[in-house]
Amino acid sequence: MPVHVFVDEVKERGYVVVAASFPAAQVRTARQAIRALIMPNQKRVHFYKEGDARRKQIIGVISDLGPFVTIYRTSAVDRAHQRNACLSQLVADLAKDSTLLVLEQDDSLLENDRRTLYRRAREHACEDTLIYRHLRASAEPLLTVPDALAWCWNRGGHWGKLIARQVGDVVDLDQR
């Protein structure tokens, strides 16, 4: 079954990439649910700018949507190496599925990401089935999901517990 994966990162206390997966058949409904969270004067939901009550509301909606979440983490020194390691493992994990991969666009990382994704897709023989796009969060509402989950994961404590049941896998790349 085709899967759509939405990716964001957090760069504090190491490097964490959060990949939230939805079956393709559920993406339209999930988008509508996230769009409904956008306030009248907002272009998008940006989790760290929200108050705690609103954060809990957003996490509640995400929990109801039930994405499968994988967290990739590393503490390697070089920032580019951290991202490449996470994206490389992500592609390896997605290689068996026909997938759309959507990453939040960071113009400073775009060319490096494209090279890494292209190289890894060829390496894992999924260049014909793995489609990847870089989009701004305002253009793809489902980028709210990994944004919120990454914030909660990195914050830990109460916030980490709120999302714990959403997290299916944690891939520690320093242990490989």
Side-chain angles (χ1 to χ4, degrees):
M1 168 176 15
V3 176
H4 292 203
V5 180
F6 301 87
V7 174
D8 199 4
E9 79 214 349
V10 63
K11 303 169 191 169
E12 300 167 10
R13 292 184 269 185
Y15 192 84
V16 174
V17 168
V18 175
S21 303
F22 293 91
Q26 294 177 5
V27 167
R28 184 175 179 193
T29 301
R31 262 193 205 113
Q32 290 171 340
I34 297 298
R35 276 193 190 111
L37 292 168
I38 299 172
M39 303 299 283
N41 292 327
Q42 289 182 315
K43 290 183 179 182
R44 62 173 271 203
V45 175
H46 201 172
F47 201 74
Y48 89 91
K49 293 182 178 181
E50 304 291 348
D52 285 351
R54 180 116 158 94
R55 286 180 180 139
K56 288 178 183 174
Q57 174 194 14
I58 294 164
I59 292 301
V61 169
I62 291 170
S63 293
D64 290 345
L65 293 173
F68 181 83
V69 177
T70 303
I71 295 179
Y72 300 87
R73 63 183 178 186
T74 182
S75 60
V77 178
D78 180 273
R79 194 65 86 200
H81 178 73
Q82 292 171 335
R83 186 168 178 89
N84 286 345
C86 291
L87 292 181
S88 294
Q89 186 60 51
L90 176 61
V91 171
D93 292 348
L94 298 178
K96 62 186 174 294
D97 295 320
S98 174
T99 304
L100 172 65
L101 173 61
V102 179
L103 300 100
E104 184 166 2
Q105 185 169 329
D106 178 337
D107 292 336
S108 68
L109 302 171
L110 198 56
E111 285 307 313
N112 183 63
D113 281 2
R114 286 181 178 156
R115 281 192 300 273
T116 299
L117 293 167
Y118 176 79
R119 186 171 45 252
R120 297 302 178 224
R122 288 179 55 91
E123 178 182 308
H124 294 287
C126 62
E127 68 270 22
D128 294 331
T129 58
L130 177 64
I131 300 166
Y132 47 89
R133 295 191 180 122
H134 288 83
L135 297 173
R136 303 229 182 266
S138 58
E140 176 49 77
L142 288 177
L143 286 168
T144 295
V145 175
D147 174 63
L149 297 172
W151 187 93
C152 290
W153 176 266
N154 200 50
R155 189 56 64 116
H158 167 73
W159 296 104
K161 289 177 185 170
L162 277 177
I163 66 159
R165 68 179 191 178
Q166 295 302 315
V167 178
D169 289 322
V170 177
V171 180
D172 189 344
L173 296 169
D174 294 337
Q175 302 300 316
R176 290 179 177 243

